[in-house]
mmCIF file of all heavy atoms in Angstrom:
data_model
loop_
_atom_site.group_PDB
_atom_site.id
_atom_site.type_symbol
_atom_site.label_atom_id
_atom_site.label_comp_id
_atom_site.label_asym_id
_atom_site.label_seq_id
_atom_site.Cartn_x
_atom_site.Cartn_y
_atom_site.Cartn_z
ATOM 1 N N ASP G 40 175.625 126.735 76.037
ATOM 2 C CA ASP G 40 176.644 127.716 75.658
ATOM 3 C C ASP G 40 178.000 127.034 75.502
ATOM 4 O O ASP G 40 178.990 127.426 76.120
ATOM 5 C CB ASP G 40 176.695 128.840 76.695
ATOM 6 C CG ASP G 40 175.472 129.729 76.605
ATOM 7 O OD1 ASP G 40 175.322 130.430 75.583
ATOM 8 O OD2 ASP G 40 174.654 129.707 77.540
ATOM 9 N N ALA G 41 178.019 126.021 74.651
ATOM 10 C CA ALA G 41 179.244 125.247 74.417
ATOM 11 C C ALA G 41 180.353 126.120 73.833
ATOM 12 O O ALA G 41 181.529 125.929 74.160
ATOM 13 C CB ALA G 41 178.957 124.066 73.495
ATOM 14 N N ASP G 42 179.994 127.090 72.992
ATOM 15 C CA ASP G 42 181.012 127.982 72.410
ATOM 16 C C ASP G 42 181.685 128.813 73.489
ATOM 17 O O ASP G 42 182.892 129.023 73.452
ATOM 18 C CB ASP G 42 180.397 128.903 71.349
ATOM 19 C CG ASP G 42 179.969 128.154 70.097
ATOM 20 O OD1 ASP G 42 180.425 126.998 69.913
ATOM 21 O OD2 ASP G 42 179.176 128.707 69.320
ATOM 22 N N LEU G 43 180.919 129.278 74.449
ATOM 23 C CA LEU G 43 181.464 130.066 75.553
ATOM 24 C C LEU G 43 182.386 129.200 76.416
ATOM 25 O O LEU G 43 183.472 129.635 76.817
ATOM 26 C CB LEU G 43 180.318 130.646 76.392
ATOM 27 C CG LEU G 43 180.668 131.653 77.467
ATOM 28 C CD1 LEU G 43 181.433 132.836 76.903
ATOM 29 C CD2 LEU G 43 179.401 132.135 78.155
ATOM 30 N N ALA G 44 181.976 127.967 76.668
ATOM 31 C CA ALA G 44 182.824 127.039 77.420
ATOM 32 C C ALA G 44 184.129 126.778 76.666
ATOM 33 O O ALA G 44 185.219 126.803 77.263
ATOM 34 C CB ALA G 44 182.080 125.734 77.679
ATOM 35 N N ALA G 45 184.037 126.572 75.378
ATOM 36 C CA ALA G 45 185.234 126.324 74.570
ATOM 37 C C ALA G 45 186.144 127.548 74.547
ATOM 38 O O ALA G 45 187.370 127.424 74.648
ATOM 39 C CB ALA G 45 184.836 125.933 73.146
ATOM 40 N N GLU G 46 185.551 128.718 74.447
ATOM 41 C CA GLU G 46 186.320 129.969 74.428
ATOM 42 C C GLU G 46 187.152 130.125 75.706
ATOM 43 O O GLU G 46 188.260 130.656 75.677
ATOM 44 C CB GLU G 46 185.336 131.136 74.288
ATOM 45 C CG GLU G 46 185.954 132.503 74.241
ATOM 46 C CD GLU G 46 184.884 133.586 74.124
ATOM 47 O OE1 GLU G 46 183.845 133.356 73.483
ATOM 48 O OE2 GLU G 46 185.106 134.682 74.685
ATOM 49 N N HIS G 47 186.621 129.632 76.816
ATOM 50 C CA HIS G 47 187.328 129.738 78.099
ATOM 51 C C HIS G 47 188.024 128.438 78.497
ATOM 52 O O HIS G 47 188.411 128.270 79.653
ATOM 53 C CB HIS G 47 186.353 130.215 79.189
ATOM 54 C CG HIS G 47 185.928 131.627 78.964
ATOM 55 N ND1 HIS G 47 186.717 132.706 79.314
ATOM 56 C CD2 HIS G 47 184.825 132.143 78.383
ATOM 57 C CE1 HIS G 47 186.092 133.814 78.974
ATOM 58 N NE2 HIS G 47 184.947 133.500 78.407
ATOM 59 N N GLU G 48 188.145 127.537 77.516
ATOM 60 C CA GLU G 48 188.876 126.280 77.697
ATOM 61 C C GLU G 48 188.354 125.454 78.869
ATOM 62 O O GLU G 48 189.120 124.874 79.632
ATOM 63 C CB GLU G 48 190.377 126.546 77.812
ATOM 64 C CG GLU G 48 190.939 127.214 76.582
ATOM 65 C CD GLU G 48 192.415 127.569 76.687
ATOM 66 O OE1 GLU G 48 193.035 127.353 77.738
ATOM 67 O OE2 GLU G 48 192.942 128.078 75.688
ATOM 68 N N VAL G 49 187.049 125.415 78.993
ATOM 69 C CA VAL G 49 186.403 124.595 80.014
ATOM 70 C C VAL G 49 186.202 123.207 79.427
ATOM 71 O O VAL G 49 185.513 123.041 78.428
ATOM 72 C CB VAL G 49 185.047 125.209 80.445
ATOM 73 C CG1 VAL G 49 184.292 124.270 81.360
ATOM 74 C CG2 VAL G 49 185.290 126.551 81.117
ATOM 75 N N MET G 50 186.836 122.218 80.051
ATOM 76 C CA MET G 50 186.797 120.853 79.525
ATOM 77 C C MET G 50 185.938 119.912 80.364
ATOM 78 O O MET G 50 185.663 118.799 79.935
ATOM 79 C CB MET G 50 188.217 120.283 79.459
ATOM 80 C CG MET G 50 189.175 121.095 78.642
ATOM 81 S SD MET G 50 188.636 121.104 76.923
ATOM 82 C CE MET G 50 189.770 122.265 76.231
ATOM 83 N N ALA G 51 185.556 120.322 81.576
ATOM 84 C CA ALA G 51 184.785 119.449 82.461
ATOM 85 C C ALA G 51 183.847 120.282 83.316
ATOM 86 O O ALA G 51 184.092 121.456 83.564
ATOM 87 C CB ALA G 51 185.739 118.660 83.348
ATOM 88 N N SER G 52 182.781 119.628 83.753
ATOM 89 C CA SER G 52 181.837 120.275 84.662
ATOM 90 C C SER G 52 181.940 119.586 86.014
ATOM 91 O O SER G 52 182.059 118.373 86.069
ATOM 92 C CB SER G 52 180.412 120.124 84.154
ATOM 93 O OG SER G 52 180.253 120.773 82.924
ATOM 94 N N PRO G 53 181.887 120.339 87.086
ATOM 95 C CA PRO G 53 181.894 121.807 87.138
ATOM 96 C C PRO G 53 183.309 122.376 87.049
ATOM 97 O O PRO G 53 184.258 121.769 87.525
ATOM 98 C CB PRO G 53 181.304 122.097 88.522
ATOM 99 C CG PRO G 53 181.732 120.925 89.359
ATOM 100 C CD PRO G 53 181.758 119.743 88.423
ATOM 101 N N THR G 54 183.404 123.503 86.402
ATOM 102 C CA THR G 54 184.626 124.304 86.403
ATOM 103 C C THR G 54 184.216 125.697 86.857
ATOM 104 O O THR G 54 183.231 126.244 86.362
ATOM 105 C CB THR G 54 185.272 124.370 85.007
ATOM 106 O OG1 THR G 54 185.695 123.053 84.632
ATOM 107 C CG2 THR G 54 186.474 125.308 84.992
ATOM 108 N N ILE G 55 184.960 126.247 87.804
ATOM 109 C CA ILE G 55 184.666 127.591 88.302
ATOM 110 C C ILE G 55 185.797 128.513 87.903
ATOM 111 O O ILE G 55 186.967 128.247 88.196
ATOM 112 C CB ILE G 55 184.496 127.593 89.831
ATOM 113 C CG1 ILE G 55 183.306 126.714 90.218
ATOM 114 C CG2 ILE G 55 184.300 129.017 90.340
ATOM 115 C CD1 ILE G 55 183.118 126.559 91.702
ATOM 116 N N LEU G 56 185.434 129.586 87.211
ATOM 117 C CA LEU G 56 186.397 130.614 86.834
ATOM 118 C C LEU G 56 186.131 131.841 87.693
ATOM 119 O O LEU G 56 184.980 132.180 87.966
ATOM 120 C CB LEU G 56 186.256 130.992 85.359
ATOM 121 C CG LEU G 56 186.320 129.864 84.332
ATOM 122 C CD1 LEU G 56 186.259 130.438 82.925
ATOM 123 C CD2 LEU G 56 187.551 129.025 84.512
ATOM 124 N N PHE G 57 187.192 132.491 88.083
ATOM 125 C CA PHE G 57 187.102 133.728 88.860
ATOM 126 C C PHE G 57 187.600 134.864 87.988
ATOM 127 O O PHE G 57 188.716 134.789 87.450
ATOM 128 C CB PHE G 57 187.956 133.634 90.130
ATOM 129 C CG PHE G 57 187.485 132.587 91.088
ATOM 130 C CD1 PHE G 57 187.871 131.265 90.956
ATOM 131 C CD2 PHE G 57 186.635 132.923 92.134
ATOM 132 C CE1 PHE G 57 187.435 130.298 91.840
ATOM 133 C CE2 PHE G 57 186.194 131.962 93.025
ATOM 134 C CZ PHE G 57 186.594 130.643 92.876
ATOM 135 N N PHE G 58 186.785 135.892 87.826
ATOM 136 C CA PHE G 58 187.138 137.041 87.008
ATOM 137 C C PHE G 58 187.239 138.285 87.879
ATOM 138 O O PHE G 58 186.440 138.482 88.795
ATOM 139 C CB PHE G 58 186.071 137.285 85.930
ATOM 140 C CG PHE G 58 186.112 136.297 84.812
ATOM 141 C CD1 PHE G 58 185.463 135.081 84.920
ATOM 142 C CD2 PHE G 58 186.807 136.574 83.650
ATOM 143 C CE1 PHE G 58 185.495 134.153 83.897
ATOM 144 C CE2 PHE G 58 186.847 135.662 82.610
ATOM 145 C CZ PHE G 58 186.186 134.442 82.738
ATOM 146 N N GLN G 59 188.214 139.109 87.555
ATOM 147 C CA GLN G 59 188.358 140.412 88.192
ATOM 148 C C GLN G 59 188.830 141.382 87.131
ATOM 149 O O GLN G 59 189.780 141.096 86.399
ATOM 150 C CB GLN G 59 189.347 140.333 89.347
ATOM 151 C CG GLN G 59 189.364 141.585 90.198
ATOM 152 C CD GLN G 59 190.102 141.358 91.505
ATOM 153 O OE1 GLN G 59 191.088 140.649 91.558
ATOM 154 N NE2 GLN G 59 189.610 141.977 92.563
ATOM 155 N N ASN G 60 188.136 142.509 87.028
ATOM 156 C CA ASN G 60 188.465 143.525 86.021
ATOM 157 C C ASN G 60 188.502 142.940 84.616
ATOM 158 O O ASN G 60 189.357 143.278 83.804
ATOM 159 C CB ASN G 60 189.795 144.204 86.351
ATOM 160 C CG ASN G 60 189.767 144.873 87.702
ATOM 161 O OD1 ASN G 60 188.775 145.500 88.078
ATOM 162 N ND2 ASN G 60 190.843 144.738 88.456
ATOM 163 N N GLY G 61 187.561 142.033 84.335
ATOM 164 C CA GLY G 61 187.431 141.477 82.993
ATOM 165 C C GLY G 61 188.421 140.384 82.632
ATOM 166 O O GLY G 61 188.420 139.896 81.515
ATOM 167 N N LYS G 62 189.243 139.974 83.574
ATOM 168 C CA LYS G 62 190.265 138.952 83.302
ATOM 169 C C LYS G 62 190.075 137.761 84.236
ATOM 170 O O LYS G 62 189.766 137.929 85.406
ATOM 171 C CB LYS G 62 191.665 139.523 83.546
ATOM 172 C CG LYS G 62 191.976 140.787 82.766
ATOM 173 C CD LYS G 62 192.697 140.439 81.491
ATOM 174 C CE LYS G 62 193.238 141.667 80.809
ATOM 175 N NZ LYS G 62 192.402 142.196 79.783
ATOM 176 N N GLU G 63 190.337 136.573 83.691
ATOM 177 C CA GLU G 63 190.324 135.381 84.534
ATOM 178 C C GLU G 63 191.551 135.420 85.430
ATOM 179 O O GLU G 63 192.669 135.586 84.955
ATOM 180 C CB GLU G 63 190.347 134.109 83.687
ATOM 181 C CG GLU G 63 190.329 132.852 84.528
ATOM 182 C CD GLU G 63 190.493 131.574 83.732
ATOM 183 O OE1 GLU G 63 190.142 131.535 82.541
ATOM 184 O OE2 GLU G 63 190.991 130.605 84.317
ATOM 185 N N VAL G 64 191.325 135.266 86.739
ATOM 186 C CA VAL G 64 192.435 135.331 87.689
ATOM 187 C C VAL G 64 192.658 134.015 88.437
ATOM 188 O O VAL G 64 193.687 133.851 89.099
ATOM 189 C CB VAL G 64 192.259 136.486 88.701
ATOM 190 C CG1 VAL G 64 192.337 137.832 87.983
ATOM 191 C CG2 VAL G 64 190.955 136.367 89.473
ATOM 192 N N ASN G 65 191.688 133.090 88.329
ATOM 193 C CA ASN G 65 191.840 131.807 89.009
ATOM 194 C C ASN G 65 190.796 130.857 88.453
ATOM 195 O O ASN G 65 189.810 131.288 87.839
ATOM 196 C CB ASN G 65 191.660 131.972 90.520
ATOM 197 C CG ASN G 65 192.392 130.918 91.323
ATOM 198 O OD1 ASN G 65 192.542 129.777 90.892
ATOM 199 N ND2 ASN G 65 192.850 131.305 92.500
ATOM 200 N N ARG G 66 190.998 129.544 88.682
ATOM 201 C CA ARG G 66 189.993 128.553 88.295
ATOM 202 C C ARG G 66 190.143 127.303 89.139
ATOM 203 O O ARG G 66 191.224 126.997 89.615
ATOM 204 C CB ARG G 66 190.024 128.241 86.807
ATOM 205 C CG ARG G 66 191.066 127.287 86.320
ATOM 206 C CD ARG G 66 190.877 126.809 84.880
ATOM 207 N NE ARG G 66 190.601 127.851 83.924
ATOM 208 C CZ ARG G 66 189.996 127.646 82.748
ATOM 209 N NH1 ARG G 66 189.639 126.441 82.376
ATOM 210 N NH2 ARG G 66 189.766 128.645 81.935
ATOM 211 N N THR G 67 189.022 126.612 89.312
ATOM 212 C CA THR G 67 189.021 125.314 89.979
ATOM 213 C C THR G 67 188.210 124.363 89.116
ATOM 214 O O THR G 67 187.359 124.795 88.335
ATOM 215 C CB THR G 67 188.397 125.360 91.390
ATOM 216 O OG1 THR G 67 187.017 125.685 91.280
ATOM 217 C CG2 THR G 67 189.095 126.366 92.283
ATOM 218 N N ARG G 68 188.481 123.091 89.275
ATOM 219 C CA ARG G 68 187.723 122.070 88.540
ATOM 220 C C ARG G 68 187.198 121.036 89.526
ATOM 221 O O ARG G 68 187.868 120.708 90.497
ATOM 222 C CB ARG G 68 188.634 121.376 87.524
ATOM 223 C CG ARG G 68 189.029 122.256 86.377
ATOM 224 C CD ARG G 68 189.995 121.528 85.447
ATOM 225 N NE ARG G 68 190.507 122.422 84.421
ATOM 226 C CZ ARG G 68 191.562 123.209 84.570
ATOM 227 N NH1 ARG G 68 192.230 123.200 85.693
ATOM 228 N NH2 ARG G 68 191.962 123.995 83.600
ATOM 229 N N GLY G 69 186.004 120.542 89.240
ATOM 230 C CA GLY G 69 185.433 119.491 90.069
ATOM 231 C C GLY G 69 184.764 120.050 91.312
ATOM 232 O O GLY G 69 184.673 121.256 91.508
#
């Protein structure tokens, strides 16, 4: 799902996104 990763600007694995009410509210990398 490279398109989904690109849509959410994920440039490295692992990247963790936190969503609440349909919006990204936080992220961590590595």
Side-chain angles (χ1 to χ4, degrees):
D40 288 293
D42 291 343
L43 189 56
E46 180 181 326
H47 292 280
E48 300 177 357
V49 172
M50 303 296 173
S52 297
T54 295
I55 298 175
L56 306 184
F57 296 85
F58 286 85
Q59 190 167 37
N60 301 319
K62 305 265 190 264
E63 180 186 333
V64 294
N65 206 328
R66 80 169 47 202
T67 65
R68 290 177 187 86

